[in-house]
Amino acid sequence: MFRKLLAVLVVSFVLVGCGDSGKTIDFSSKSSMQKSVKEMSDTLDSKDKNAFQQAIVKVAFVASLDSNDDEAKLLSLLKSKLGGKTAEEIIKEYGSK
């Protein structure tokens, strides 16, 4: 199950959407999470977009290891680390800079 969620997160970064720079990740549902990640990614230049995607994948990978195949726990871990944060905050906190 967690692999499907991880795949959805990764695919979300590839998709193009529209949004504003103050957008945050909304964890009220899976679809709202996907939509908000897509919108946030689209607002970034190519360098920041790459850093954002790498940071999200890094957090998702660690959360998937810590969740032990428990999807509810995975969502909870992702929400605690990413929920309500802007792309800039995520890059600053989890980026490889």
Side-chain angles (χ1 to χ4, degrees):
M1 283 303 259
F2 82 93
R3 290 180 191 197
K4 289 180 183 178
L5 181 59
L6 184 59
V8 168
L9 281 172
V10 173
V11 169
S12 294
F13 303 124
V14 177
L15 300 175
V16 178
C18 58
D20 60 70
S21 62
K23 189 88 175 140
T24 61
I25 297 181
D26 176 8
F27 274 90
S28 60
S29 70
K30 282 185 187 179
S31 62
S32 64
M33 175 192 62
Q34 293 168 352
K35 181 180 177 188
S36 61
V37 167
K38 179 174 61 170
E39 289 173 347
M40 289 171 67
S41 183
D42 190 50
T43 65
L44 304 171
D45 62 33
S46 62
K47 180 182 174 186
D48 286 341
K49 183 181 243 181
N50 187 40
F52 176 67
Q53 291 173 349
Q54 289 178 356
I56 295 287
V57 169
K58 179 181 174 181
V59 171
F61 179 74
V62 171
S64 69
L65 291 176
D66 292 343
S67 70
N68 296 320
D69 282 340
D70 181 347
E71 187 175 359
K73 186 174 181 181
L74 175 62
L75 285 172
S76 177
L77 289 168
L78 290 173
K79 184 176 183 178
S80 71
K81 294 183 182 295
L82 303 173
K85 293 185 179 181
T86 65
E88 291 77 18
E89 292 170 329
I90 292 167
I91 292 168
K92 184 176 181 180
E93 189 168 347
Y94 301 107
S96 59
K97 295 181 181 180

